[in-house]
Structure formats: C-alpha cells, structure tokens
Amino acid sequence: MAGILRIAFKLLVNDKGKFAALLVGITFAVFLITMMTSMFAGILKRASSTVINIGATIWVMDPAVYTVASSIPIPDYILDAARSIDGVNYAVPLFSGGATVKLRSGVYQAVTVLGLDDTSLFGRPELIEGNIEDIYAENGFIVVKDAEFAKLDDPKLGTEFEINDNSAVVVGIAKVTSGGLFGIPSLYTTYNRAIQYLPTSRYTVSYVLIEPKNSDAIPHIKEEISKLGYEALTKDEFMEKVSTFYKYKTGLGINVLLMTVISFVVGLSISGQTFYTFILENLEKFGALKAMGAKGRELIYMILFQAGFSALTGYGLGIGLASLVIAGAKLKLPSYAAQITYTNLIFAFIMVVIIAGISSYIGVRKVIKIEPFDIFRS
Amino acid sequence: MADPAMKASELVKWFGEGEAKTYAVRDVSFEAYFGEMLFIEGPSGSGKTTLLSMISGILRPNSGAMLVENRDIWSLSSDQLADFRLNTVGFVFQDYHLFPRLTTVENVAIPLILKKVEWNAAMDTSMRYLEIVGLKQRAHLAPVKLSGGEQQRVAIARAIASSPDILIFDEPTASLDGDTGRKIVDFVKKNILTEKRCIIIVTHDSRIFEYADRIMKMADGKIIGLEKGGSREE
C-alpha cells in the first residue's frame, strides 16, 4: 500500500500548479476560519477577564447581569445572608465600576476600578512592584500593568493622579492573567476606598464572592441565594453567561459564524473545484491503473490520501499563517484580542476534514465509475 | 502446436437495449497460443477493441466463455479479475497512458507497485526492463520529454514489467510513423515474444502484418477470416 500511496503523492505534488491551488484554497479557508474563531475566543476571554483575574469560586449577582462590567448593585444584606449559608467558607464583597482619572499631564482617562474586600483583599492581583499592605495607605491604588498601562502615562510607584477629584497614589504595580476587553486600564483598591471615591447608588456591592467549604456545597449555596431573588453562579457558569451574551445578544456571534461559513464555502469552492479538475485530468490514468489490475479500493485510498495530504498541509499552513498574523498583530497592538485555542484548532480541523471529504467524495465517484474499457475505447 | 494461451467460445457482446441494441461482437470463437503473435485486424467498428477487452478481463461478455490458461476468467470475482489482469495480462494502450507526473522508471514500475513490490526493488527491476527496451539512460526523464517511439517502448517495458503471460497491444503503431512502427513491432517480436508468452495485437496497419504469426480478420463483430501472417523471423 505504501508504494501506491507514494505514487499518489507524486501524482499530486508533481502537478505543481494544481497542488499550489489546492493548498492556497485550503490554507486560505483555514486561515480565515482560525482568525475569526481566534478573535472571537479572544474577545470572549477578555469579556470575562475580571472573573478570571479575581478567581472566586461563586459569584452572587442580580439575575439581570449579563457582563461583568454591567453589574447591578445588590443590597448589603445579601452579603450577610451569604455568610450564614451552610457550606460557605467565607463571603466577601466586590466593587466593580468605572471612573475617570485625571493624569498629571492633565489628560483624562477612563479606568475600571475594582474594590477588594478590606479585610481579606480576596482576588488581589499578583504584584510585580510594591507591597500589598500599601493598598491600605492613604489614597493607595494598584495599577495593572497590561496592554493599557501606557494609557496612564506609564505610572511608577508614587505616581499621583486624581479619581473623580479625589487624590490617588500608585502603591503597587500588578500583573493579571487576562487583559480587559474594552481597552481601558484597571485599578485595584480596597472596597471601602472604592465606594468612597466613586459615586454609587444606594447599594454598593457589585458582587458577593463566595468560597464554599467544598464543591458539594455549591448546589445548596446556589439554591439558598436563589431564594433571596439573586443568582449564584460558579466561575465557569458566569464566564459562560458572559459568552452567551456576546454570542447571541450582540450580533457578534452571528457575524463570526457568517464569516466562518463564508470562509468554509470559499475554501471548499477553491479546493473542491481544483481537486475535481485534478481528478478529471487524471481520470484516464486512473482507468489505465484499473485496467492494469488496480483494485477499486486502492484507487479510493489514493484519492483519499491525496485529499487528506492536501488538507493537512493546507491546515498546517493556515494555522501557521494565522499564528504569525496574530503574533505580529500582538507585537504592534498588545491589546489585540485574539487567541488560538484548542477548540479553534479542532473546529478548523473539522472544517478541513469536511472540505477534504467532500472533495474526495466527488473524485471517488468519478474514479469508481470509470471503466477500463473506456480507456481502450478512447 | 503450442499450448493454447486462451480460448474464446461464442463470445457475444451488445450495447444498448431495445431498438438501440447494437451487437459489437457476435459469436466469436478462436484460440491463441503461447509463442504466438496474433493480430486482430479490421476496420473501425468491427469489434476489435470490444473483443480485446473481453479476452483481457476488462469487459464482461453478454454470453460465451473465455478461458485463459484454462481458467474461465468471467467466473472470477472483481478482485480476482483485477489480480488476473495484474498478474497474467500486460497492456500497451494506444495512447500509452503514461503518467506525465512520474518519471519514466516510475511509470514502468507501476505494475510492480500494484503487486506490492517494495519501492526500491520495483525501481531496480524497472531499470532492467528499461535496459531491455534501450531506454535506461532516459529513466529519470518525464515521459513527455521522450519521442513517440520512446514512449511506446516505455509502455512496452511497463507491460512486461510484471512478467505477464499474455500481452495485449492496442493499435501499437497508430501514433507512430511507418518506420518507427515497424521497428517497435520488430523489437517486440525479437525481444518480448517468448515460447511462454502470447502476444495479441489489434491493428489495422497493414505495414506490420508481416510480423504476425496469424491474422484474424474481423468485420461487423464477426471473424471473417483467419490467415497465416508473414511470420518474419530473423
């Protein structure tokens, strides 16, 4: 069988024009599919960046909340109630809100402010400069050094600025797992300072963060919170809720799906048409092989190998090209929201397998139908 | 008389149904022998190619029997028929049907590859056959870079590479000038025909009749005559 496949390989790659056209078609399709799904994955991940960075197991929120940024303040008694539920190890408040910073240069810059529980500082980021205790210092804020850091004029420890006409000072510089989606810098401070600096409604708690004693307690905690008219979601459930919002309620998901389908159709058209032409041009040769004693299944293996080899090579090139483009874009635009996930890779692979399958099906049908007698008759 | 390589009995083949039914071959019976070069001659539409296809296991007759080496080939399964064509019959097609994307030696090796011979061994064997047809020096060229006569010889090398007992030539001189055509058939007669091999050539090129041991004449799907050929021997 290896010899027959080697023949198939040589027939394919030695037809340089068609092989190149096949690769271009598949590479182009994989590139577009991967780019679209990677951008979408990047957007979805960044949309949940606060959930990822804070890392709480359970988030309590108003049921009408769909994204982290659009939090609806909840009453303080929910925090007390949460602490009294069986199975809760501890529960802390989290403030999440937007503010405007006036930099030393006089420039205004929108920021996200996260206020951590004063006692535990649960959800604090990993500091790369400064001491976490300094967050309790007067006017102390921690700045996240991510792609948006430069928008605060690259602050250093001790840099001063104003938040809503309140004086603030940088006491720490931190790093986080995931950057935000909306291109604005993030600041961390204590919960009490956050609600003091930022105008709030009657209720001040954006989320109650719960750590259960064990995972078995989670259903009970969710049930008890539900009885209070609020929603308790695990970290993954909250991220899924955010993803669902962006996928189905913003038009983003449909646009990405449409682009992916178009990429697939374009790739299928180019490679399917090219492969079909390749088979047509070699049809008599396949007939000659049949006449010489090749069995039908051996010809099918040849075609499947040719389609599979083209598909896998195009897949590799497409993924490589998408990786290069994303890496290049991130060098120029650090906040570029795209990431290639295993899901993207598997999705693109499935698309390529379908392209190869349809292309080879067309070829196999033609080759199976060719009769060796036609070779003599021609 | 040598042993019969094949025996056709009342072969019938028609195409189409009803009013469109057309007989291509009608009640054809004949024998061909090892060590013999049998020509099948006739005008276009006389049924030569259909007959050739039926005796080589390519086209199933509507009725009649075809014994090749005492085996009824049309009782074989499709896989057995493929094996029969691979192991017993060598084809030289009218248009050669060489693979332009493969080298000459790779073209010759195709039957060996189909017989699952290991790649390098197949190439070595094919080189020997190319040497037989005088094209060893052209082994690594693409067939399109060879002349018509050379391509014909490559097709012959490919046909004999799997050491078949029966060789089928379909209009071997149709694409060649008269001199080259005669040289090719002369070469086949001298170098390829053996006492253990039967060669059947379909042609309407009377210039090569002198090389035939027998000439079977066909018209309207029937054998209308069987005569001794020139049997040119050196």
Side-chain angles (χ1 to χ4, degrees):
Chain A
M1 185 56 65
I4 290 171
L5 298 186
R6 195 162 169 176
I7 294 278
F9 173 78
K10 283 171 174 276
L11 291 177
L12 176 71
V13 300
N14 288 350
D15 192 347
K16 293 184 176 63
K18 289 206 180 49
F19 186 52
L22 266 175
L23 288 188
V24 166
I26 295 170
T27 301
F28 184 62
V30 171
F31 171 71
L32 286 180
I33 290 169
T34 308
M35 284 302 294
M36 292 309 300
T37 53
S38 298
M39 281 191 280
F40 196 45
I43 287 170
L44 293 184
K45 186 183 177 191
R46 283 173 179 242
S48 296
S49 60
T50 303
V51 185
I52 296 166
N53 295 335
I54 295 293
T57 305
I58 296 175
W59 293 64
V60 178
M61 67 198 76
D62 189 286
V65 169
Y66 290 104
T67 68
V68 185
S70 62
S71 62
I72 298 170
I74 53 182
D76 292 350
Y77 73 82
I78 298 297
L79 175 62
D80 297 330
R83 284 172 171 159
S84 66
I85 296 171
D86 277 347
V88 170
N89 193 12
Y90 58 84
V92 297
L94 176 74
F95 176 85
S96 170
T100 306
V101 164
K102 185 181 181 187
L103 303 173
R104 297 283 288 176
S105 60
V107 172
Y108 287 91
Q109 171 64 49
V111 294
T112 297
V113 176
L114 291 169
L116 306 174
D117 174 48
D118 291 58
T119 309
S120 63
L121 294 182
F122 180 78
R124 62 184 176 275
E126 183 185 344
L127 289 187
I128 51 179
E129 286 183 52
N131 294 312
I132 191 66
E133 294 81 10
D134 292 339
I135 199 171
Y136 296 116
E138 193 175 358
N139 307 329
F141 279 78
I142 292 169
V143 182
V144 174
K145 190 166 189 177
D146 58 9
E148 321 306 334
F149 184 71
K151 292 175 180 170
L152 294 174
D153 291 347
D154 292 319
K156 297 178 175 52
L157 292 182
T159 298
E160 293 183 351
F161 51 87
E162 289 177 18
I163 297 182
N164 294 346
D165 297 328
N166 293 293
S167 179
V169 61
V170 175
V171 296
I173 294 174
K175 65 176 181 181
V176 290
T177 308
S178 174
L181 175 63
F182 300 108
I184 56 176
S186 298
L187 304 178
Y188 283 79
T189 189
T190 61
Y191 176 80
N192 281 318
R193 183 172 297 121
I195 62 174
Q196 177 193 336
Y197 275 43
L198 274 63
T200 57
S201 59
R202 184 157 63 99
Y203 302 132
T204 55
V205 177
S206 304
Y207 299 95
V208 172
L209 310 178
I210 295 176
E211 275 307 301
K213 286 177 180 166
N214 54 56
S215 57
D216 294 339
I218 293 176
H220 174 66
I221 294 169
K222 291 175 70 169
E223 190 182 335
E224 290 300 310
I225 294 292
S226 174
K227 286 177 185 170
L228 298 171
Y230 287 85
E231 189 172 33
L233 298 176
T234 62
K235 179 183 169 185
D236 289 341
E237 286 170 343
F238 193 16
M239 288 170 65
E240 185 59 35
K241 189 176 187 183
V242 173
S243 292
T244 302
F245 174 77
Y246 280 100
K247 281 179 197 168
Y248 304 114
K249 296 187 177 175
T250 63
L252 198 59
I254 294 296
N255 282 336
V256 169
L257 183 66
L258 272 177
M259 280 304 295
T260 305
V261 169
I262 290 168
S263 310
F264 172 75
V265 170
V266 169
L268 178 62
S269 306
I270 298 175
S271 51
Q273 174 67 32
T274 310
F275 197 68
Y276 184 63
T277 311
F278 173 80
I279 294 294
L280 278 187
E281 284 187 6
N282 285 288
L283 204 52
E284 284 194 347
K285 303 294 183 285
F286 282 112
L289 281 177
K290 253 188 185 177
M292 282 189 271
K295 297 180 178 71
R297 60 177 173 276
E298 289 172 330
L299 300 182
I300 292 173
Y301 293 150
M302 288 177 78
I303 290 170
L304 290 178
F305 176 80
Q306 289 170 332
F309 181 80
S310 306
L312 288 181
T313 308
Y315 175 75
L317 289 173
I319 295 293
L321 188 60
S323 305
L324 276 177
V325 169
I326 290 173
K330 283 189 172 175
L331 276 179
K332 288 283 181 191
L333 300 165
S335 59
Y336 184 63
Q339 65 167 23
I340 297 177
T341 64
Y342 286 116
T343 308
N344 301 148
L345 296 177
I346 291 168
F347 182 73
F349 183 75
I350 291 170
M351 293 290 108
V352 159
V353 167
I354 292 172
I355 289 175
I358 293 173
S359 302
S360 50
Y361 172 72
I362 296 166
V364 164
R365 272 181 54 129
K366 294 296 286 187
V367 168
I368 289 298
K369 280 183 181 169
I370 182 82
E371 290 293 336
F373 177 56
D374 297 332
I375 301 306
F376 280 119
R377 200 157 44 181
S378 68
Chain B
M1 178 75 62
D3 293 333
M6 59 174 66
K7 182 178 179 183
S9 304
E10 299 176 340
L11 289 177
V12 176
K13 182 68 189 177
W14 70 75
F15 297 102
E17 292 296 335
E19 290 183 1
K21 188 172 177 178
T22 308
Y23 280 87
V25 171
R26 303 165 189 255
D27 294 324
V28 167
S29 301
F30 73 94
E31 288 184 357
Y33 301 92
F34 286 116
E36 178 185 38
M37 197 180 234
L38 173 67
F39 282 31
I40 301 175
E41 184 266 333
S44 290
S46 60
K48 306 188 297 291
T49 300
T50 304
L51 179 61
L52 197 66
S53 301
M54 288 192 290
I55 66 178
S56 58
I58 280 176
L59 184 66
R60 186 176 292 276
N62 294 109
S63 65
M66 186 67 223
L67 297 181
V68 178
E69 297 178 336
N70 295 318
R71 191 166 45 154
D72 181 1
I73 61 170
W74 290 112
S75 66
L76 301 176
S77 67
S78 60
D79 272 8
Q80 287 171 327
L81 263 179
D83 286 335
F84 161 75
R85 292 196 297 267
L86 181 60
N87 297 307
T88 309
V89 186
F91 295 95
V92 179
F93 304 105
Q94 182 175 340
D95 297 327
Y96 320 137
H97 287 298
L98 300 175
F99 288 77
R101 311 291 176 194
L102 302 179
T103 63
T104 297
V105 67
E106 287 165 349
N107 266 284
V108 175
I110 285 175
L112 300 170
I113 298 293
L114 291 175
K115 288 176 90 166
K116 313 280 189 291
V117 176
E118 191 268 329
W119 184 270
N120 289 333
M123 293 305 141
D124 291 343
T125 306
S126 302
M127 284 299 265
R128 287 206 297 276
Y129 283 102
L130 275 178
E131 193 168 11
I132 290 171
V133 298
L135 288 172
K136 190 179 178 185
Q137 304 304 318
R138 316 281 264 170
H140 299 292
L141 291 178
V144 289
K145 296 194 174 165
L146 305 179
S147 67
E150 287 174 329
Q151 289 186 36
Q152 182 70 285
R153 282 190 277 159
V154 173
I156 292 169
R158 182 176 68 183
I160 61 175
S162 59
S163 306
D165 295 339
I166 293 162
L167 270 179
I168 306 272
F169 286 70
D170 185 22
E171 301 284 3
T173 58
S175 309
L176 304 174
D177 62 79
D179 193 39
T180 308
R182 272 194 299 276
K183 278 183 183 169
I184 289 286
V185 179
D186 186 57
F187 172 82
V188 169
K189 181 96 180 181
K190 285 179 185 167
N191 300 284
I192 309 301
L193 182 63
T194 66
E195 288 184 356
K196 294 180 177 176
R197 181 171 281 159
C198 171
I199 296 179
I200 296 180
I201 295 178
V202 162
T203 185
H204 55 255
D205 183 356
S206 59
R207 294 171 299 184
I208 59 170
F209 285 177
E210 59 187 298
Y211 295 96
D213 293 311
R214 289 188 300 154
I215 301 172
M216 196 164 79
K217 293 183 180 294
M218 288 190 75
D220 297 328
K222 294 178 181 173
I223 297 173
I224 57 169
L226 190 60
E227 58 189 51
K228 220 169 155 46
S231 291
R232 171 188 275 232
E233 299 281 0
E234 294 297 321

